[in-house]
Amino acid sequence: MKNIFSISLFLIISIGIYNYSIFFGTNPIKHVYKEGTFTYSNETNVDNILKSYISHELYEINLREIKNLIEEDIWIKNAQIILDPPDIIIAKISEFKPLYLWNNSFYVDDKGVSISPTEFPIKNILKITSNNDTQEAMYNLYLSVQRLFSVINIDVIELSKNNDMMVILTPQYRFSVRHNNFDLKLNEFISVYDQFILTQDPIKIRKNIDLRYPTGFAVQ
């Protein structure tokens, strides 16, 4: 029993001596690292924030403070700050990834979280607008429209709805249709799509297709 106690005490003292500088000495931060992508967020600002903590004592570092400073960038969705003794800070950055632009006012991601930046740098992004519908309802409407068009390999790039009037923009076509029967009219178009493309001039970049007629549709 005495031998076990002596061995345990020796181990504790040895570990304490080996880690003395961590627990009792001075441990200034010497290295800062970051992980993540910086497509739209300000990478230089993150670097400056982290570098400002170099030479600060490890035990004095406020992780919440660093996290809040980094997350002031609207494009940074989450910052996880990790201390790696004896002298390292690591910041793991998750950038906001927008799914669509709503009413030309703010970006929305796949979780429904939105940001409203001062500039809108993303050009090739789905655009959804409406004068009286919620963004959730409109996104679900987009999913319904895109599901129909996926049968003929057409991608929706813009969707707008004002009252009952819908405009659907794709790289090839601009559709006008009423919301109260959009699924019926789109299915009618899809059913004759193979014949339709055989009759069209391939040189024209985008065709206007009006599906508001009681029977058939008009092409301009």
Side-chain angles (χ1 to χ4, degrees):
M1 186 72 175
K2 185 176 181 181
N3 288 338
I4 294 175
F5 175 78
S6 298
I7 293 172
S8 299
L9 181 61
F10 174 77
L11 290 173
I12 292 172
I13 293 173
S14 299
I15 292 172
I17 293 174
Y18 182 76
N19 294 285
Y20 179 84
S21 62
I22 295 177
F23 294 108
F24 306 104
T26 178
N27 294 99
I29 295 297
K30 297 179 181 178
H31 308 284
V32 292
Y33 302 103
K34 64 181 185 299
E35 300 175 5
T37 57
F38 296 86
T39 306
Y40 300 105
S41 54
N42 191 329
E43 184 175 6
T44 300
N45 187 56
V46 172
D47 287 336
N48 291 337
I49 291 172
L50 293 175
K51 288 176 182 177
S52 70
Y53 287 87
I54 290 178
S55 298
H56 285 221
E57 286 294 332
L58 179 75
Y59 61 83
E60 294 178 345
I61 298 296
N62 185 328
L63 301 184
R64 174 61 62 179
E65 178 183 76
I66 302 176
K67 175 182 174 68
N68 290 342
L69 286 172
I70 291 177
E71 289 180 354
E72 285 181 0
D73 187 329
I74 197 172
W75 284 101
I76 294 179
K77 190 171 185 177
N78 182 61
Q80 181 184 6
I81 313 303
I82 300 170
L83 291 182
D84 187 5
D87 55 12
I88 296 174
I89 295 176
I90 302 171
K92 295 185 176 181
I93 307 299
S94 298
E95 197 174 53
F96 184 86
K97 297 179 180 179
L99 188 62
Y100 61 93
L101 177 63
W102 168 252
N103 272 350
N104 296 311
S105 299
F106 52 85
Y107 292 116
V108 183
D109 71 1
D110 60 349
K111 304 298 183 184
V113 177
S114 62
I115 63 168
S116 182
T118 55
E119 297 181 354
F120 297 89
I122 309 175
K123 303 305 178 185
N124 297 320
I125 189 170
L126 171 67
K127 297 178 177 65
I128 303 177
T129 61
S130 177
N131 66 336
N132 56 7
D133 291 84
T134 66
Q135 66 182 65
E136 182 180 4
M138 284 299 296
Y139 183 67
N140 287 332
L141 178 59
Y142 155 76
L143 292 177
S144 297
V145 173
Q146 183 58 70
R147 193 177 301 115
L148 292 171
F149 277 135
S150 64
V151 176
I152 52 177
N153 297 317
I154 289 180
D155 293 322
V156 176
I157 58 176
E158 291 186 28
L159 173 65
S160 66
K161 178 176 177 288
N162 291 317
N163 300 318
D164 192 48
M165 178 64 184
M166 289 173 56
V167 174
I168 306 163
L169 196 66
T170 78
Q172 307 93 337
Y173 312 109
R174 181 182 185 275
F175 295 91
S176 300
V177 65
R178 298 199 181 280
H179 178 255
N180 61 10
N181 63 352
F182 79 91
D183 49 351
L184 173 64
K185 301 303 292 185
L186 290 180
N187 273 313
E188 286 180 357
F189 174 79
I190 291 168
S191 68
V192 297
Y193 181 68
D194 289 341
Q195 293 78 20
F196 168 76
I197 58 176
L198 294 176
T199 64
Q200 300 305 303
D201 181 0
I203 297 177
K204 190 171 183 180
I205 297 175
R206 178 174 287 138
K207 300 175 178 65
N208 293 308
I209 301 176
D210 193 337
L211 301 174
R212 291 172 293 178
Y213 291 83
T215 58
F217 52 86
V219 182
Q220 296 180 340

